[in-house]
Amino acid sequence: MGSILLFLTALFTIGTWWLLRQGVMSKPWLEQGVLEVAVSEPSQSAEKVGLGVFLAVVGSLFALFISAYAMRMQFPDWRDVPLPKVLWLNTAMLVLSSIALQGARNAARDGDEDRLKIGLLAAGVTALAFVSGQILAWRQLTADGYFLASNSANAFFYVLTGLHGLHVLGGLVALGGTASKAWRGTPGNHLRLSVELCATYWHFLLAVWLVLLSILTGWAGTFLVICRQVLS
């Protein structure tokens, strides 16, 4: 349950920060001369709020799976899955994809169409390389006899990586739509919003993957043990 509590704490912190940014603590009836400024400030778009809610739901789903993983691995029949080395290359591809989309986001903000197209294309290629690498990792494990139903650890590995891969594929559909807008010459504001949403989603998927990888490698457990020893 620790992962759920950590996630809910992070969610509460982000939600509180967002509400404070919206001026939930302000007292407009006591303020004078600021109404015009407040009305003229751009508000958060419905698309950004919708994406934030979606990411909260997806994050909750992964937090539940991680909690189930942590509880199940305490049983004596648990056998860790040897992680294929290609996972490190896949991680590098996802990091590059996230960096490329951040570059595209900056290019959209600067109005640089060439850099924008290059960033979107690079993000798409590296994301496809990530998905292909994950499939290769699955094939290596099954070739070595680590099938889905052989052990609970195997099942968790396939479910967690498969669920994450499905979200990357969904993101690729959105990224393809954004790239299509860029090549069709869609007006700047609308295109910039699409790129920002894709970049936010990609950064979120990268963060989720790094958490999953730290758990699958056992680094997260070691880190928690060290923290307990330091705090005790």
Side-chain angles (χ1 to χ4, degrees):
M1 299 298 290
S3 61
I4 295 179
L5 292 176
L6 284 174
F7 179 76
L8 291 178
T9 302
L11 200 60
F12 176 77
T13 303
I14 295 172
T16 303
W17 170 78
W18 183 79
L19 287 174
L20 289 175
R21 286 199 62 188
Q22 304 309 307
V24 71
M25 297 298 292
S26 64
K27 300 176 181 177
W29 59 89
L30 298 179
E31 300 173 2
Q32 296 180 353
V34 298
L35 181 59
E36 184 177 351
V37 175
V39 170
S40 63
E41 289 179 350
S43 60
Q44 295 287 332
S45 68
E47 290 85 351
K48 289 183 179 179
V49 175
L51 178 62
V53 173
F54 176 71
L55 295 185
V57 173
V58 174
S60 301
L61 178 64
F62 277 105
L64 287 172
F65 270 110
I66 291 171
S67 292
Y69 180 94
M71 288 188 287
R72 183 62 183 84
M73 69 184 300
Q74 305 299 323
F75 285 66
D77 63 337
W78 183 269
R79 299 289 182 274
D80 286 331
V81 179
L83 298 184
K85 293 181 180 178
V86 72
L87 287 184
W88 302 109
L89 178 61
N90 299 346
T91 302
M93 290 295 105
L94 195 58
V95 170
L96 290 176
S97 187
S98 189
I99 292 173
L101 257 178
Q102 184 60 40
R105 184 187 206 167
N106 296 338
R109 184 185 57 204
D110 299 338
D112 190 333
E113 293 186 5
D114 292 336
R115 278 201 300 131
L116 170 62
K117 292 178 180 177
I118 292 174
L120 292 176
L121 185 61
V125 170
T126 47
L128 282 173
F130 171 80
V131 174
S132 302
Q134 295 295 79
I135 295 174
L136 179 61
W138 281 22
R139 291 174 61 89
Q140 288 181 359
L141 285 176
T142 53
D144 293 337
Y146 294 94
F147 300 104
L148 176 69
S150 301
N151 187 278
S152 298
N154 301 2
F156 268 103
F157 177 86
Y158 287 113
V159 169
L160 289 174
T161 55
L163 189 61
H164 182 268
L166 284 176
H167 282 86
V168 174
L169 287 175
L172 275 170
V173 174
L175 180 60
T178 302
S180 175
K181 292 177 184 176
W183 260 265
R184 291 201 313 266
T186 301
N189 288 337
H190 190 63
L191 178 60
R192 185 163 57 246
L193 176 60
S194 295
V195 176
E196 287 181 1
L197 295 177
C198 284
T200 302
Y201 185 66
W202 240 249
H203 299 335
F204 173 78
L205 288 180
L206 174 61
V208 169
W209 172 248
L210 293 178
V211 170
L212 293 179
L213 188 63
S214 68
I215 291 171
L216 293 173
T217 56
W219 291 351
T222 304
F223 177 74
L224 290 177
V225 170
I226 294 174
C227 289
R228 290 195 190 100
Q229 291 176 347
V230 171
L231 296 175
S232 61

